[in-house]
Amino acid sequence: MSADNAAVNFSELVNKNKQTLARLKESPRLLLHRRDGEDLVLTTAAKAEQDQTVVSAASRMLSAMARREPGSMELLLDILPEAFPWVRFLPEPDVHAFAVELVDTMRAADSIGNNASVAQMLTAWQHTAEVHSDPVLFAALTQDHGTDYGPVRHP
């Protein structure tokens, strides 16, 4: 969350709900710190709808641009290192695969109104770049150990 968002303990919302909720007039979001769980973000329904509208518009524009304009994929490939500096560690074919998957995943996520898959995909690609950036780790993970360790248990 950005610095212009207010933060309070969750107990303040419970104990002083009117004063705490009044802070939403000063800040677009309110970060609620919890002792027993993950922090929460409180915002108004109108603000949440605005945020979703912006993300949806950006996703649709990127998807349409990537599919229609000649040379747009090349432009996307050119700007990816500025938006995601870690793509510099990916092999060239992976950068292209990342670009295609990013556009497709953003479009699909927008169609269901849930961006969790985009965040998950970005994290997975960033971890892939981290592996490629470390020669020792890359060697360890790509080395043929000559042994089958059996089936992997479902997490």
Side-chain angles (χ1 to χ4, degrees):
M1 276 188 24
S2 67
D4 62 342
N5 293 308
V8 297
N9 291 326
F10 184 78
S11 58
E12 286 187 49
L13 176 63
V14 174
N15 297 325
K16 302 175 188 173
N17 58 8
K18 286 184 182 177
Q19 297 94 326
T20 304
L21 290 175
R23 294 182 74 174
L24 283 173
K25 292 179 182 172
E26 305 160 7
S27 176
R29 291 174 198 82
L30 188 60
L31 178 62
L32 302 172
H33 296 294
R34 295 174 41 195
R35 279 186 297 214
D36 60 349
E38 187 175 1
D39 290 347
L40 302 174
V41 176
L42 183 65
T43 191
T44 64
K47 178 65 178 151
E49 187 175 331
Q50 287 172 350
D51 291 348
Q52 182 57 41
T53 299
V54 170
V55 170
S56 178
S59 296
R60 284 183 272 130
M61 288 184 343
L62 178 64
S63 178
M65 182 192 76
R67 295 186 193 297
R68 289 190 187 160
E69 291 298 319
S72 61
M73 186 53 82
E74 289 74 22
L75 175 62
L76 180 59
L77 291 169
D78 285 344
I79 65 170
L80 279 178
E82 187 174 331
F84 306 103
W86 45 261
V87 301
R88 288 177 170 86
F89 297 115
L90 293 173
E92 189 67 33
D94 285 357
V95 175
H96 188 270
F98 167 64
V100 170
E101 187 175 351
L102 176 62
V103 171
D104 290 347
T105 304
M106 287 179 71
R107 183 170 183 247
D110 178 56
S111 74
I112 60 171
N114 185 334
N115 294 313
S117 59
V118 178
Q120 180 181 4
M121 187 260 330
L122 287 169
T123 300
W125 275 106
Q126 184 173 5
H127 290 318
T128 300
E130 289 170 12
V131 169
H132 283 283
S133 74
D134 184 341
V136 174
L137 181 58
F138 183 81
L141 293 175
T142 57
Q143 174 182 345
D144 183 6
H145 296 282
T147 304
D148 184 354
Y149 295 103
V152 176
R153 289 191 348 225
H154 189 47

